[in-house]
Amino acid sequence: MKTTIRFSDPVDCGERTIVPVIRDMTLLSDHGGMVARDPVGLVIMENKQAWFVSLSEAVTLSVIDELLGIRE
């Protein structure tokens, strides 16, 4: 099984933009494949500020940094 965390398509709500963070889980076998998607977080942007809301204990701000290519 392969697991990938990625940003989904942004949604504009007035002056606020919400970007869902989702986990794609792909399972391939000789008999076929399956993909499952779970919401794991939200990035909320408004007035040049951003907030992260985790929907899963395993997803922290460091995961978002990794998605954005931010190194410590």
Side-chain angles (χ1 to χ4, degrees):
M1 179 166 44
K2 179 182 172 187
T3 301
T4 306
I5 294 179
R6 65 179 182 86
F7 293 115
S8 187
D9 296 330
V11 177
D12 289 325
C13 303
E15 294 187 24
R16 183 175 294 162
T17 300
I18 299 172
V19 182
V21 181
I22 59 173
R23 178 185 298 125
D24 286 336
M25 294 174 286
T26 306
L27 177 62
L28 298 174
S29 73
D30 295 337
H31 304 288
M34 178 189 85
V35 175
R37 290 195 171 113
D38 290 326
V40 294
L42 297 171
V43 175
I44 303 166
M45 297 178 287
E46 183 177 4
N47 295 329
K48 298 182 182 180
Q49 294 185 344
W51 298 271
F52 173 66
V53 179
S54 179
L55 303 175
S56 169
E57 289 181 14
V59 179
T60 62
L61 193 52
S62 63
V63 172
I64 302 301
D65 287 349
E66 186 176 317
L67 286 173
L68 296 173
I70 298 171
R71 305 275 187 249
E72 288 187 44

